[in-house]
Amino acid sequence: RVRADAILEKNNLMGVRFKNVPSFVYKIDGELNINDLGRIKYDIAYGGAYYAIVNSEDVGLKCEPMYQRELISIGMKIKNTIQSTIDLICPIDNKNFNLYGTIFTGPPEYKSNHSRNVCVFADGQIDRSPTGTGVSARAAILYERGKITLNEELIIESIIGSTFKVSISEVNEEGSR
């Protein structure tokens, strides 16, 4: 169960805050070869769902609305290729899992933000938000790589510019975030 709290200022809703389920990294620095795209580098992490995370510039795209169709097409190719070529076993319950989506990352529109991402999920939909479970998965990767520290806050933009703030609040014994 995830509990959410409203952030109010003079009775105006300013935002919502919640502590997500534990997030963790499944794979760092994976590579795959996709016809017509070549070699693609990716990471896989869990933040409430499993995602493959790919730098958008590595596939010649930007995390902008004008690239929506291409992001969907390539995102689904990446998801389906990983799903069909790698035995994905959850390290917690030792059961097979499915990738929920592909998250493309890129530079932010506003320098005060950390980055921008586009989540292509399920059957080829794009999330208009930065995606709570996806941002949590990204935070686990950034923490694992030493790019953020405990309680450091990042602001991640979506394809339409909406933002989520994320931080790692604790690290448990198993190393999950």
Side-chain angles (χ1 to χ4, degrees):
R1 181 176 294 207
V2 175
R3 183 183 138 200
D5 296 309
I7 302 168
L8 300 172
E9 193 173 289
K10 296 182 182 176
N11 282 336
N12 291 318
L13 180 64
M14 303 305 291
V16 176
R17 163 181 44 225
F18 68 93
K19 184 172 183 176
N20 198 11
V21 299
S23 302
F24 59 88
V25 173
Y26 179 79
K27 184 178 189 72
I28 291 280
D29 294 329
E31 286 190 14
L32 59 110
N33 193 14
I34 297 179
N35 293 344
D36 72 323
L37 290 175
R39 286 210 89 45
I40 307 287
K41 292 183 179 184
Y42 68 92
D43 300 322
I44 297 176
Y46 178 84
Y50 285 94
Y51 296 94
I53 291 87
V54 175
N55 184 323
S56 66
E57 293 171 346
D58 288 351
V59 295
L61 298 174
K62 294 183 180 182
C63 294
E64 297 176 4
M66 67 186 296
Y67 296 103
Q68 178 175 327
R69 285 187 193 350
E70 295 92 340
L71 289 163
I72 291 170
S73 175
I74 294 171
M76 292 305 291
K77 282 181 186 178
I78 291 168
K79 174 185 169 181
N80 293 334
T81 300
I82 291 172
Q83 194 70 46
S84 67
T85 60
I86 298 171
D87 196 18
L88 301 170
I89 308 282
C90 176
I92 295 173
D93 64 13
N94 209 29
K95 294 180 181 175
N96 283 65
F97 67 85
N98 292 314
L99 283 178
Y100 187 57
T102 302
I103 295 177
F104 292 100
T105 63
E109 182 175 343
Y110 297 101
K111 299 239 183 261
S112 59
N113 296 335
H114 175 268
S115 56
R116 177 172 273 222
N117 69 224
V118 176
C119 178
V120 177
F121 67 98
D123 296 319
Q125 292 83 13
I126 283 190
D127 198 334
R128 293 179 302 172
S129 80
T131 310
T133 54
V135 166
S136 296
R138 286 197 58 211
I141 290 169
L142 292 167
Y143 183 85
E144 182 85 12
R145 290 183 178 278
K147 304 265 184 187
I148 61 171
T149 59
L150 199 62
N151 297 312
E152 180 179 352
E153 293 183 337
L154 302 178
I155 298 175
I156 310 289
E157 300 171 356
S158 74
I159 192 169
I160 62 169
S162 57
T163 60
F164 282 177
K165 189 182 294 185
V166 65
S167 65
I168 302 288
S169 61
E170 65 184 281
V171 178
N172 70 23
E173 294 82 38
E174 293 90 36
S176 298
R177 265 67 68 204

